[in-house]
Amino acid sequence: MPRLRPRALAAALCILTCAPAFAAEPAAAADPTAVAAQAARVREQVVAWRRDIHQHPELGQHEVRTAKLIAEHLRKLGLQPRTGIAHTGVVAVLKGGRPGPRIAIRADMDALPVTEPAGLPFASRVTADYRGQPVGVMHACGHDAHVAIALGVATALAAQRETLPGEVMFVFQPAEEGPPVAGEPFGAKLMLDQGVFAQFKPEAVFGLHVWAGLGVGEIGYRSGPMLASADEWSLLVRGKQTHGSRPWDGVDPITVGAQILLASQSLIARQINIAATPVVLTAGQFHSGVRFNIIPDEARLVGTLRTFDPAVREDVIARLRRTAEDLAHAAGASAELQVVNNAPATVNDAALTRRVLPSLQRAAGAERVRESALVTVAEDFSQFANTVPGFYFFVGSTAPGIDPAKAPINHSPQFMLDEGALEVGTRAMLQVALDYLHGA
Ligand SMILES: [Zn+2]
Ligand SMILES: [Zn+2]
C-alpha cells in the first residue's frame, strides 16, 4: 500500500467521514400535513375526472377517449406524453429540478363488459361489442379512480417540480382486464414489449387498486406474494362420435371430461401442499355436443388456475396434464392441455415494502394500514414488478356504515366506490412518491 502524504491522508479520511455531508440533503420524509394539503388541492379535479371517465368507460385497447383526456392534461402540466403505446397506452416523464432516483407510477385505464345499473348521476350507459357479443360497459373494477388519482398525483408533483429530486414516469396502461381477442397479451406485457422501461428504467414501480374489501380510509398491503398468478387453461378431449344409444361403438368425451374435471379437484385436495401456498383450479366452461342422442367427437373444458409460487404453478400444470392424459388414455380417448399465463403473481419486493410501509402509515395513519391476506385475483401490474422492484397496495373503497366483507366486490355491477377513496389514494401515492424521491 503506498504511503499517503498528509493532505492526501486528510482527503482519504474525509472520504470516509465527510461523505454524507457532500451527499444529497439528509433524507427526510415529506410532511404528511403538507402532503394532505397537496392532495386536498387536487381533490375536486380528481373527483371530476373520475366521474367523467366513469360515465365514458372503454374496454381494453379501446381507451381512446380516456387516453386523450390523460394526454391533454399531461401536456397542460408541461409534460410530453407519448401515446399509442400498446394501442392506447400513455407514458410521460416528469423531470424534477434536482438529481434523484427514477420511479414509475402505473394506472390502468380499461373498463369491463358489465352493465351498470341506473342510480349514479354519472352512471355509464355505454354499450360495445365484446368478443362478438353486445355488452354494457362499466368501470366495475374502479380503474376510473386509478386514472383520476394518477392525474392528481402528476398535478401535485408538477406543481413542485423545481424542488423535486429525480424523475417520475407516469404509465397509463390499457387492457389490464385483457385484450379484445383471447390469447393476445395483456396491456402491461405489451407496453413492456414495446420498450416502455427500455430507455427509462425506474428503480421502483408503484401501483394501487381501489378495493371493496376494505373500508374507505384503510390501506392494505403485503410483502412478497400478494395477488395470484392467473393462467387460462383449455383442455380438449377427443373421443369418437356415435349414437347415444350405443356408447360402446364410440368413445364418450363428455364422460371423460367429467372424470378429468373431478380428478382435477382431487388433485388439488390430495396432491398439493395447500398449507404452504394456496391453489385454485376452476373450470368456467364445459362445451360439448349438439344433440341429446349423439355422443360427440370432442369436449372442451376451459378454466383458470391461480397460484402464488412459480414452482407450484409448474407442478400443478404437470399434474393436471398427466391426470387428463392418463384418464383419457384409460377410456381410449386423448386429451390435450394448453395453458396461457395471463399474469404472473404480483409480488411486492420485500426491501421496497419495508421502505414504503412508513409512507403509507404517514399518509393514512398506522392503525388504518393493514396487512392483506393473499388475494386470488390477479393483476398484470406483476409484469412491471417482475421487471423492476415493485410495490402494490389496496385503497379501501367501501363507504362507512357498510361491512367491507359483505360489500359487492370489484367486477360486480353493484361495485360502488366511495369517492373518499380518491383523496386517500392520491395522498398515499403522493406520500410514497415524495418520500422515495427524497430518499426517505
Ligand atoms: Zn378487474
Ligand atoms: Zn382492476
Side-chain angles (χ1 to χ4, degrees), residues 11-323:
L13 283 172
C14 195
I15 285 167
L16 292 174
T17 57
C18 312
F22 298 142
E25 288 168 25
D31 172 16
T33 315
V35 173
Q38 291 168 24
R41 269 198 288 282
V42 295
R43 175 178 49 209
E44 272 180 38
Q45 216 179 352
V46 171
V47 169
W49 279 320
R50 183 260 164 169
R51 291 183 181 186
D52 182 6
I53 297 165
H54 189 88
Q55 198 165 9
H56 301 97
E58 296 167 302
L59 293 173
Q61 291 187 7
H62 293 95
E63 307 92 332
V64 176
R65 185 185 182 277
T66 310
K68 187 161 171 274
L69 182 155
I70 292 165
E72 277 172 6
H73 182 70
L74 293 174
R75 277 190 207 102
K76 275 191 208 149
L77 296 178
L79 310 189
Q80 293 166 327
R82 281 165 51 217
T83 59
I85 303 166
H87 299 283
T88 46
V90 182
V91 164
V93 176
L94 172 68
K95 287 189 168 59
R98 294 164 45 205
R102 284 180 158 181
I103 62 169
I105 293 173
R106 173 272 204 173
D108 40 7
M109 309 190 288
D110 54 328
L112 284 162
V114 170
T115 303
E116 179 161 4
L120 289 176
F122 50 91
S124 158
R125 273 184 257 138
V126 174
T127 56
D129 176 271
Y130 178 71
R131 297 186 180 177
Q133 286 189 55
V135 292
V137 183
M138 176 186 172
H139 268 295
C141 204
H143 299 182
D144 48 346
H146 303 170
V147 172
I149 288 170
L151 285 176
V153 171
T155 308
L157 291 178
Q160 54 191 304
R161 88 183 77 197
E162 281 83 41
T163 57
L164 198 68
E167 297 171 54
V168 184
M169 176 189 260
F170 292 93
V171 179
F172 292 92
Q173 181 212 307
E176 188 281 324
E177 305 286 2
V181 178
E184 285 186 0
F186 282 45
K189 176 150 196 328
L190 208 52
M191 287 193 99
L192 287 164
D193 287 350
Q194 295 187 9
V196 87
F197 280 179
Q199 292 112 16
F200 182 102
K201 187 151 189 196
E203 60 180 67
V205 60
F206 300 106
L208 59 75
H209 208 299
V210 291
W211 194 240
L214 289 170
V216 68
E218 294 180 325
I219 284 182
Y221 80 98
R222 190 179 174 85
S223 184
M226 179 161 161
L227 308 184
S229 152
D231 285 292
E232 190 168 334
W233 59 267
S234 174
L235 180 75
L236 178 64
V237 180
R238 286 198 184 87
K240 183 166 175 262
Q241 185 161 329
T242 184
H243 198 287
S245 67
R246 297 176 58 82
W248 50 86
D249 283 340
V251 177
D252 180 359
I254 297 177
T255 305
V256 174
Q259 286 173 337
I260 294 170
L261 179 60
L262 293 176
S264 75
Q265 298 308 305
S266 300
L267 184 167
I268 303 303
R270 303 289 83 183
Q271 298 179 34
I272 306 298
N273 180 357
I274 50 167
T277 174
V279 176
V280 176
L281 182 64
T282 292
Q285 292 171 274
F286 192 159
H287 297 294
S288 188
V290 291
R291 198 182 139 84
F292 77 101
N293 63 353
I294 298 175
I295 289 171
D297 253 340
E298 292 180 354
R300 185 180 288 280
L301 289 93
V302 183
T304 189
L305 169 66
R306 304 294 166 116
T307 53
F308 293 90
D309 179 315
V312 172
R313 172 183 175 271
E314 289 292 328
D315 184 45
V316 172
I317 292 170
R319 287 171 191 271
L320 178 61
R321 179 168 284 122
R322 184 181 73 189
T323 302

Side-chain angles (χ1 to χ4, degrees), residues 235-437:
L235 180 75
L236 178 64
V237 180
R238 286 198 184 87
K240 183 166 175 262
Q241 185 161 329
T242 184
H243 198 287
S245 67
R246 297 176 58 82
W248 50 86
D249 283 340
V251 177
D252 180 359
I254 297 177
T255 305
V256 174
Q259 286 173 337
I260 294 170
L261 179 60
L262 293 176
S264 75
Q265 298 308 305
S266 300
L267 184 167
I268 303 303
R270 303 289 83 183
Q271 298 179 34
I272 306 298
N273 180 357
I274 50 167
T277 174
V279 176
V280 176
L281 182 64
T282 292
Q285 292 171 274
F286 192 159
H287 297 294
S288 188
V290 291
R291 198 182 139 84
F292 77 101
N293 63 353
I294 298 175
I295 289 171
D297 253 340
E298 292 180 354
R300 185 180 288 280
L301 289 93
V302 183
T304 189
L305 169 66
R306 304 294 166 116
T307 53
F308 293 90
D309 179 315
V312 172
R313 172 183 175 271
E314 289 292 328
D315 184 45
V316 172
I317 292 170
R319 287 171 191 271
L320 178 61
R321 179 168 284 122
R322 184 181 73 189
T323 302
E325 289 175 355
D326 286 4
L327 278 170
H329 181 250
S334 70
E336 191 186 327
L337 178 69
Q338 288 182 326
V339 182
V340 175
N341 186 255
N342 287 338
T346 299
V347 180
N348 278 336
D349 183 84
L352 188 59
T353 305
R354 275 195 300 278
R355 180 170 169 181
V356 168
L357 180 57
S359 301
L360 293 182
Q361 290 168 335
R362 275 190 280 277
E367 71 290 351
R368 311 188 96 187
V369 179
R370 304 185 189 287
E371 188 176 20
S372 170
L374 289 171
V375 178
T376 50
V377 300
E379 232 298 353
D380 75 347
F381 175 80
S382 55
Q383 302 282 7
F384 297 115
N386 280 357
T387 309
V388 301
F391 181 75
Y392 185 83
F393 59 98
F394 287 142
V395 175
S397 68
T398 291
I402 300 174
D403 179 0
K406 294 180 184 152
I409 196 75
N410 303 55
H411 287 211
S412 159
Q414 268 76 40
F415 171 69
M416 183 64 74
L417 175 106
D418 183 287
E419 285 181 336
L422 299 171
E423 192 173 354
V424 178
T426 308
R427 208 163 66 217
M429 189 58 94
L430 208 46
Q431 186 85 44
V432 164
L434 284 169
D435 287 354
Y436 193 97
L437 293 170

